[in-house]
């Protein structure tokens, strides 16, 4: 009888700890995602400040560096002109010079049109779409912050 009570107590304690640990992990995940959102916006703001201080040529050169100051872990700055042509991308240099307005995501969403139109109308904003995550090689939801800076749209996104 004593062994059965001890086992029951151990099982209940294990379940209790699993619930508490699970809630703690859930909070940490939420915190990280919220942190990525804030980090993406901050990286864009820093990139725009760099652009304003150093000029377009130096900014584009820095934005295009795969190991530059605007690449932080899974976050990186990329940029379009006001017509939707890629002018900076540290992870996909083969896209530089290509107009991407007619290229939808895998769900058929023309998210780059949204970026360009919102940037022209409001100056900045957020857009959600589906995109190939280079780390996992899977299509995943992505959220991107963008800000118009002169004749450029500076962006940074994260997978969520």
């Amino acid at each position: 009888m004593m062994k059965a009570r001890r086992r029951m107590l151990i099982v209940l304690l294990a379940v209790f700890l699993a619930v508490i640990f699970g809630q703690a992990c859930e909070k940490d995940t939420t915190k990280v995602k919220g942190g990525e959102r804030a980090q993406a916006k901050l990286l864009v703001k820093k990139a725009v400040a760099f652009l304003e201080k150093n000029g377009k040529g130096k900014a584009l050169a820095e934005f295009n560096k795969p190991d530059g100051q605007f690449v932080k872990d899974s976050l990186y700055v990329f940029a379009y002109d006001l017509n939707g042509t890629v002018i900076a991308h540290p992870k996909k240099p083969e896209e530089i010079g290509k107009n991407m307005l007619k290229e939808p995501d895998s769900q058929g969403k023309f998210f780059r049109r949204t970026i360009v139109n919102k940037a022209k109308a409001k100056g900045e904003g957020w857009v959600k779409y589906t995109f190939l995550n280079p780390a996992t090689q899977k299509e995943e939801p992505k959220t991107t912050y963008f800000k118009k800076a002169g004749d450029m749209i500076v962006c940074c996104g994260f997978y969520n």
Side-chain angles (χ1 to χ4, degrees):
M1 191 72 158
M2 192 64 109
K3 286 183 182 181
R5 282 186 181 180
R6 185 178 288 166
R7 274 193 208 136
M8 182 60 102
L9 184 59
I10 291 171
V11 168
L12 287 173
L13 182 59
V15 169
F16 175 75
L17 290 174
V19 168
I20 296 299
F21 181 73
Q23 288 175 346
C25 288
E26 185 177 327
K27 287 178 185 173
D28 287 347
T29 301
T30 304
K31 192 182 276 187
V32 169
K33 286 187 178 178
E36 284 181 328
R37 185 177 179 91
Q39 288 175 356
K41 188 171 185 177
L42 182 61
L43 204 55
V44 167
K45 298 228 180 225
K46 285 182 178 179
V48 169
F50 184 91
L51 167 67
E52 291 170 349
K53 181 179 179 184
N54 297 287
K56 188 175 180 178
K58 271 190 173 179
L60 289 176
E62 189 63 30
F63 298 168
N64 281 314
K65 287 182 184 175
D67 59 349
Q69 64 180 302
F70 298 106
V71 177
K72 304 286 184 200
D73 300 319
S74 64
L75 300 176
Y76 54 88
V77 165
F78 56 100
Y80 299 103
D81 69 12
L82 297 179
N83 296 314
T85 299
V86 178
I87 55 175
H89 204 302
K91 302 290 185 180
K92 294 184 177 182
E94 67 276 6
E95 288 187 357
I96 296 171
K98 291 184 180 178
N99 186 288
M100 303 298 278
L101 285 184
K102 294 180 181 176
E103 298 294 324
D105 72 0
S106 62
Q107 306 299 309
K109 182 174 183 177
F110 291 94
F111 67 94
R112 294 175 185 96
R113 287 183 190 170
T114 303
I115 290 172
V116 170
N117 292 337
K118 277 189 176 180
K120 287 178 180 178
K122 297 182 179 181
E124 64 185 318
W126 293 92
V127 65
K128 293 182 179 190
Y129 51 98
T130 304
F131 211 70
L132 180 68
N133 183 336
T136 64
Q137 292 300 310
K138 294 180 182 175
E139 293 281 331
E140 296 179 19
K142 187 170 185 178
T143 302
T144 291
Y145 174 73
F146 57 88
K147 183 169 180 61
K148 183 177 174 284
D151 63 353
M152 300 173 49
I153 304 166
V154 181
C155 312
C156 182
F158 61 94
Y159 292 92
N160 44 335

